[in-house]
């Protein structure tokens, strides 16, 4: 496809004013936040690239949908609209709404995993793995090695390595693998896609061994865009068509609708099997709400149905990925080490290369993220040893090969000038990298420690 400019397919009709802060104010704020950008007040942040979750800009159509909310406790018409939209765009017959993605992960893990089971996946995700572990399972990484290599230019770093999968099968047997969970556009690998070819092979493998194929479809439309761009057989297909085809290859899906589908809150568990649906309905009433609203208000289900339709538009996705490439290319031109190819929802900085003087046990990515905030008020997130947490058996830190800072771009929120300021800030931190100090925990939560952990500088 010819490379053309990615100008936004929308115009702005309302703005949210931002507060500017001084360096002194930011130095104070980061100490108060224990060097954890999750603990900053958003009022103290200028450009918020913490996450792309729940902070996208809804369209006028989505805001209008909010006014159509049917808040009946049971049988809301918005539920039926959402269910039909999910079937039309994503292929899944049954939908159980949840308050967000992890609500769906909780229900799925409880239904399908028995203690002692193994759950392979194309790299872990924090909440996904935790729910698998809480249900008594063990996550096993079966992603290709290239996904763990910052410098590899593999176009589909989200692919499954079948030799790893077959090794697991031989070791534990199919009866101890309740399902394989495949994320599209793998977050922890740097927003890297899985190819349609790999997914089709996985479908055959799952059928051969009678293992359920679960799809973490949080960023399926971004994955579909990369398939369109990089897999020759799909160059002429629309993002919408590719999204449907990906989903139709899988059996069950968990979705955090706060990403691709651009709503502020919401998620769902979707599937084709009626027995599984029955079980999911039995649990959703315990943890979320009645099966026709789960964790969501009627108005939010309506906005989600509209968001799904907008998320699969080719021009939307072209601008979305184009903005991330713009930031990534600007950083690369200045010599900033980033994960390549540039990902679907974020640019990931390589903290190992940027701060070689800080050993991984002193949390270089956490330190880099804090330093970037102090430099300019740009908020990012650690995705390295802090996020990886500890091994539940040995208590030792997981020490991932990737020690990254994620600059996550919310959908339809920031301008090209914001990307310029972000790039300039990262470059300034890189130029003064030797001044950044390592960190140690002053408070370490037992689970998901990256959310609320607190740190102080070493030395
Ligand atoms: C790949 C992936 N799966 C699951 C989740 C969990 O979704 P939520 O934050 O809505 O609970 C996220 C959220 O960041 C995610 O990126």
């Amino acid at each position: 496809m010819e490379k053309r400019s990615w100008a936004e397919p929308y115009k702005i009709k309302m703005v949210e004013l931002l507060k500017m802060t001084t360096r002194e104010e930011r130095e104070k704020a980061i100490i108060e936040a224990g060097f954890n950008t999750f603990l900053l007040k958003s009022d103290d942040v200028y450009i918020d690239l913490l996450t792309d979750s729940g902070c996208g800009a809804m369209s006028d159509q989505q805001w209008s949908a909010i006014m159509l909310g049917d808040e009946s406790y049971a049988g809301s018409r918005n539920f039926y609209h959402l269910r039909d939209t999910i079937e039309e765009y994503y292929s899944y017959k049954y939908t159980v709404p949840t308050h967000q993605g992890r609500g769906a992960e909780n229900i799925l893990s409880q239904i399908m995993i028995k203690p002692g089971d193994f759950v392979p996946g194309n790299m872990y995700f924090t909440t996904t793995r935790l729910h698998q572990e809480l249900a008594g399972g063990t996550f096993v990484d079966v992603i290709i090695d290239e996904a763990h290599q910052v410098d590899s230019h593999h176009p589909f770093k989200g692919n499954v390595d079948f030799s790893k999968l077959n090794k697991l099968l031989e070791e534990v047997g199919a009866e101890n693998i309740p399902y394989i969970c495949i994320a599209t556009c793998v977050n922890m690998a740097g927003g890297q896609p899985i190819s349609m070819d790999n997914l089709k092979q996985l479908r055959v493998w799952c059928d051969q061994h009678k293992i359920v194929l679960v799809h973490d479809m949080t960023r399926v439309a971004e994955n579909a865009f990369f398939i369109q761009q990089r897999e020759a057989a799909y160059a002429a297909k629309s993002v919408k068509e590719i999204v449907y085809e990906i989903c139709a290859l899988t059996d069950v899906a968990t979705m955090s609708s706060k990403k691709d589908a651009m709503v502020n809150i919401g998620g769902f568990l979707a599937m084709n099997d009626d027995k599984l649906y029955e079980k999911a309905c039995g649990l959703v009433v315990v943890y979320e709400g009645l099966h026709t609203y789960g964790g969501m208000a009627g108005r939010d289900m309506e906005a989600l149905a509209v968001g799904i339709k907008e998320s699969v538009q080719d021009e939307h996705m072209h601008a979305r990925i184009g903005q991330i490439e713009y930031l990534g290319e600007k950083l690369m031109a200045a010599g900033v080490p980033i994960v390549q190819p540039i990902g679907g929802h974020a640019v990931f900085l390589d903290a190992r290369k940027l701060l070689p003087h800080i050993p991984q046990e002193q949390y270089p990515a956490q330190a880099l993220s804090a330093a970037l905030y102090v430099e300019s008020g740009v908020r990012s997130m650690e995705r390295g040893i802090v996020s990886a947490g500890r091994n539940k058996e040995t208590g030792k830190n997981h020490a991932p090969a990737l020690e990254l800072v994620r600059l996550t771009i919310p959908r339809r929120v920031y301008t090209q000038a914001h990307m310029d300021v972000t790039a300039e800030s990262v470059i300034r931190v890189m130029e003064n990298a030797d001044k950044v100090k390592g960190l140690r925990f002053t408070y370490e939560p037992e689970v998901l420690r990256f959310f609320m952990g607190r740190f102080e500088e070493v030395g």
Side-chain angles (χ1 to χ4, degrees):
M1 192 184 183
E2 145 208 17
K3 180 130 179 140
R4 68 181 162 87
S5 172
W6 52 269
E8 295 83 353
Y10 54 83
K11 58 184 178 178
I12 297 166
K13 90 164 111 190
M14 187 190 279
V15 296
E16 178 180 338
L17 299 183
L18 299 174
K19 191 178 117 189
M20 310 298 273
T21 51
T22 63
R23 189 178 182 98
E24 289 67 40
E25 285 168 337
R26 293 194 294 274
E27 279 170 350
K28 194 163 163 274
I30 199 72
I31 290 172
E32 276 172 14
F35 291 85
N36 185 347
T37 51
F38 276 100
L39 301 179
L40 288 166
K41 294 185 181 132
S42 66
D43 271 351
D44 293 331
V45 172
Y46 172 38
I47 301 174
D48 203 347
L49 307 184
L50 181 75
T51 174
D52 60 334
S53 181
C55 48
M58 291 211 296
S59 67
D60 51 358
Q61 300 293 318
Q62 286 181 288
W63 281 110
S64 313
I66 290 272
M67 294 308 293
L68 301 177
D70 166 8
E71 306 306 340
S72 308
Y73 186 89
S76 161
R77 85 177 70 93
N78 309 124
F79 166 73
Y80 295 107
H81 182 204
L82 175 62
R83 184 199 64 181
D84 294 347
T85 307
I86 289 170
E87 190 171 4
E88 183 185 344
Y89 284 77
Y90 298 148
S91 82
Y92 307 110
K93 199 166 160 201
Y94 300 110
T95 291
V96 178
T98 56
H99 73 286
Q100 56 183 82
R102 67 200 70 181
E105 291 168 353
N106 174 35
I107 293 171
L108 178 74
S109 304
Q110 288 207 37
I111 294 174
M112 295 199 62
I113 299 173
K114 62 178 187 327
D117 275 350
F118 294 85
V119 187
N122 56 349
M123 207 176 263
Y124 84 101
F125 183 71
T126 53
T127 56
T128 319
R129 185 179 68 192
L130 181 63
H131 280 298
Q132 292 164 357
E133 290 176 354
L134 289 173
T138 300
F139 166 80
V140 182
D141 190 7
V142 295
I143 204 165
I144 56 172
D145 285 344
E146 286 86 341
H148 295 279
Q149 296 156 7
V150 172
D151 294 329
S152 160
H153 287 246
H154 195 293
F156 291 105
K157 282 182 168 182
N159 280 357
V160 167
D161 181 334
F162 284 92
S163 62
K164 292 183 187 176
L165 200 51
N166 286 325
K167 185 165 170 276
L168 177 71
L169 185 73
E170 266 170 41
E171 280 168 11
V172 306
E175 63 282 9
N176 294 312
I177 304 178
Y179 61 87
I180 172 165
C181 179
I182 292 306
T184 29
C185 249
V186 184
N187 190 349
M188 302 301 278
Q192 303 292 326
I194 179 170
S195 72
M196 192 71 92
D197 183 48
N198 191 259
L199 192 58
K200 282 181 182 165
Q201 290 178 46
L202 188 59
R203 178 70 265 168
V204 173
W205 188 92
C206 286
D207 288 343
Q208 251 170 12
H209 303 290
K210 301 204 171 15
I211 292 175
V212 172
L213 179 45
V214 172
H215 177 202
D216 179 342
M217 60 174 296
T218 297
R219 296 185 180 82
V220 65
E222 289 166 7
N223 200 117
F225 180 80
F226 285 127
I227 288 176
Q228 187 192 61
Q229 301 298 303
R230 297 177 189 169
E231 231 171 320
Y234 288 86
K237 293 220 169 178
S238 66
V239 168
K240 183 178 168 207
E241 288 167 326
I242 300 170
V243 163
Y244 189 91
E245 192 172 334
I246 293 173
C247 294
L249 283 168
T250 67
D251 303 306
V252 179
T254 59
M255 172 65 152
S256 169
S257 314
K258 302 164 71 177
K259 282 82 165 176
D260 252 8
M262 295 173 286
V263 287
N264 301 128
I265 193 74
F268 58 80
L269 177 63
M271 68 216 85
N272 295 316
D273 182 79
D274 52 354
K275 293 274 171 314
L276 196 67
Y277 177 60
E278 229 172 76
K279 287 187 189 163
C281 288
L283 276 192
V284 76
V285 287
V286 181
Y287 292 103
E288 305 277 330
L290 192 72
H291 64 293
T292 54
Y293 74 86
M296 295 181 76
R299 56 179 170 269
D300 291 330
M301 290 192 281
E302 195 61 25
L304 171 54
V306 177
I308 289 171
K309 294 172 198 171
E310 292 177 2
S311 75
V312 300
Q313 301 302 317
D314 280 47
E315 59 275 22
H316 160 68
M317 210 38 79
H318 192 225
R320 160 86 181 134
I321 306 288
Q323 187 175 40
I324 292 148
E325 282 176 353
Y326 176 83
L327 174 62
E329 279 165 11
K330 211 163 172 127
L331 289 170
M332 283 197 295
V336 178
I338 65 169
V339 173
Q340 293 185 46
I342 296 164
H345 64 300
V347 174
F348 289 73
L349 309 176
D350 184 353
R352 283 181 194 270
K353 285 218 182 100
L354 276 162
L355 303 178
H357 59 290
I358 302 182
Q360 195 175 25
E361 309 79 66
Q362 290 182 12
Y363 314 116
Q366 187 79 25
L368 181 62
S369 180
L372 181 61
Y373 168 72
V374 171
E375 173 60 40
S376 59
V378 171
R379 170 154 69 170
S380 57
M381 181 200 290
E382 191 263 10
R383 278 300 181 220
I385 188 167
V386 178
S387 295
R390 292 180 184 275
N391 180 302
K392 68 173 175 148
E393 305 294 332
T394 65
K396 286 204 176 126
N397 278 320
H398 290 291
L402 300 179
E403 182 68 24
L404 309 174
V405 166
R406 191 179 80 180
L407 299 167
T408 339
I409 315 299
R411 294 163 186 80
R412 307 192 290 208
V413 171
Y414 290 114
T415 66
Q416 190 157 326
H418 287 118
M419 297 301 108
D420 290 339
V421 170
T422 301
E424 287 157 17
S425 312
V426 173
I427 293 162
R428 269 200 303 278
V429 172
M430 180 174 76
E431 286 165 356
N432 295 293
D434 55 331
K435 298 201 183 73
V436 180
K437 293 180 180 161
L439 299 172
R440 66 176 149 244
F441 270 107
T442 57
Y443 165 60
E444 183 182 343
E446 259 180 48
V447 294
L448 301 179
R449 61 184 182 175
F450 57 96
F451 280 133
M452 278 179 285
R454 302 183 70 85
F455 302 81
E456 63 184 9
E457 285 182 324
V458 176

